[in-house]
Amino acid sequence: MSISHRHIEVFRAVMTAGSVTGAAALLHSSQPTVSRELARLEQLLGYALFERQAGRLRPNTRALALFDEVQRSFQGLGRVLERASQLGRAEAASRLSVLCLPALSHALLPAACADFLRQHPAAELAITPQESPLLEEWMGAQRFDLGLSESGLSAPGTRSEALLALDEVCVLPAGHRLLAKPCLTPADFAGEDFVSLSPEDPYRQQLDAIFGAAGVARRLRLETHSAVAVCALVQQGLGLAVVNPLTALACAGPGLRLRRFGVSVPFRVQALLPEFRPAQPLALALLASLRLTAQTLAAQLDQALEGPVAY
């Protein structure tokens, strides 16, 4: 005989109730049956789980460690059962799963979600941030109802719709002398402290190529993986940077100002919809909110840069 689910269930009941008597009540069983099953579990394991003192059970360190694992398993089972129950109720059709790049989870999606939920107050949104290329792989695997990507290519098994077409922008700390210029050229960055994204980031690689072609040497003292972190470092006066316009706009304020960059570094956002996943009508409603939000953000960026922008 091998260890069965019943043995684990008995063990969990004893740990939860603190006694064999309590466990028997939880399981709607008898005390002798629970004692027998618990003893059989220890026999199959080959070691004791409890110290027996004056007719009472006291869990040892092995029992406590095993209980932690059992609890995690039962919590996972609970989530499965809850999801199964949801699928049998009407609100299952109102749950929407969204996959997006981390940068878009704070700079585009929140306003779109607010607009969407105002129109669909009973809807539920589950948002999962993920970087490329896993984002495209997961969308191609039909795991989500809608995705947001910066890639110009549709993942196999998906169809795409362009949402936004802008250019990267310059971010500067308040009071910097270059704020006197409405548009900065690569030459303006010569000798300036510059905050970069990580070397493997495609935008970083484009910018390095632009400055290299212009023969401009920047002081590359800081780098990070996040455009939000770049903006925070610039706001502290630690350098200048060129970042995506949505993050720049979200972070802009009294301590962080925006300016155009004289060389176009395209920033494109597209929605991805799975071709083979069962249709989710609310995905199109969220897509409509994303279109509206994209237009609004483009207009706000236009105002922040004090001039027209491409959309």
Side-chain angles (χ1 to χ4, degrees):
M1 175 187 283
S2 60
I3 295 172
S4 68
H5 184 272
R6 177 62 177 177
H7 293 126
I8 299 302
E9 188 177 41
V10 167
F11 168 73
R12 180 171 182 260
V14 171
M15 292 293 291
T16 301
S19 69
V20 171
T21 302
L26 286 176
L27 297 172
H28 304 287
S29 183
S30 67
Q31 183 175 339
T33 298
V34 171
S35 295
R36 185 171 58 252
E37 295 287 355
L38 189 62
R40 183 57 177 159
L41 172 61
E42 291 179 313
Q43 181 185 10
L44 291 169
L45 288 173
Y47 54 81
L49 293 169
F50 298 89
E51 298 175 7
R52 289 156 175 85
Q53 298 177 347
R56 297 179 63 86
L57 295 181
R58 187 174 182 180
N60 59 26
T61 55
R62 284 173 169 168
L64 294 173
L66 179 60
F67 186 58
D68 287 341
E69 193 65 38
V70 168
Q71 285 294 82
R72 281 193 289 270
S73 297
F74 272 79
Q75 287 166 3
L77 177 61
R79 287 193 294 269
V80 170
L81 295 176
E82 174 60 23
R83 184 58 179 150
S85 176
Q86 287 177 352
L87 292 172
R89 301 195 297 262
E91 62 264 29
S94 67
R95 182 177 175 84
L96 197 63
S97 60
V98 181
L99 183 67
C100 70
L101 291 172
L104 301 178
S105 68
H106 71 84
L108 171 64
L109 197 52
C113 289
D115 179 72
F116 169 79
L117 290 174
R118 278 193 296 268
Q119 301 178 59
H120 304 276
E124 298 178 5
L125 288 172
I127 299 169
T128 303
Q130 183 56 266
E131 297 283 1
S132 295
L134 273 180
L135 183 148
E136 288 76 17
E137 290 180 14
W138 287 3
M139 286 303 303
Q142 316 296 298
R143 292 176 57 179
F144 293 84
D145 297 308
L146 188 146
L148 292 175
S149 169
E150 294 175 21
S151 171
L153 300 175
S154 296
T158 68
R159 59 183 178 87
S160 64
E161 176 181 322
L163 288 177
L164 196 64
L166 299 168
D167 282 328
E168 300 263 301
V169 300
C170 307
V171 289
L172 302 85
H176 196 281
R177 61 180 181 81
L178 287 176
L179 288 173
K181 302 186 65 173
C183 180
L184 304 185
T185 66
D188 290 321
F189 290 85
E192 294 283 344
D193 288 336
F194 194 89
V195 184
S196 291
L197 291 168
S198 57
E200 63 271 16
D201 187 274
Y203 291 110
R204 161 72 182 271
Q205 294 169 3
Q206 290 182 65
L207 289 170
D208 285 352
I210 289 170
F211 285 108
V216 173
R218 300 156 292 160
R219 297 179 62 192
L220 304 180
R221 301 175 61 196
L222 286 168
E223 66 180 40
T224 180
H225 286 73
S226 162
V228 173
V230 169
C231 289
L233 293 167
V234 170
Q235 189 173 21
Q236 292 299 316
L238 298 176
L240 314 179
V242 179
V243 297
N244 80 75
L246 296 185
T247 299
L249 187 61
C251 296
L256 187 76
R257 304 294 299 278
L258 279 55
R259 289 294 183 268
R260 298 185 187 281
F261 189 41
V263 180
S264 174
V265 181
F267 176 80
R268 306 288 184 263
V269 178
Q270 66 174 0
L272 298 175
L273 294 168
E275 290 189 321
F276 309 115
R277 185 181 174 90
Q280 169 53 280
L282 287 180
L284 297 181
L286 179 57
L287 187 55
S289 293
L290 284 163
R291 293 190 198 102
L292 179 61
T293 300
Q295 294 172 356
T296 300
L297 290 175
Q300 291 175 352
L301 184 66
D302 182 16
Q303 184 176 9
L305 293 171
E306 300 175 355
V309 297
Y311 173 72

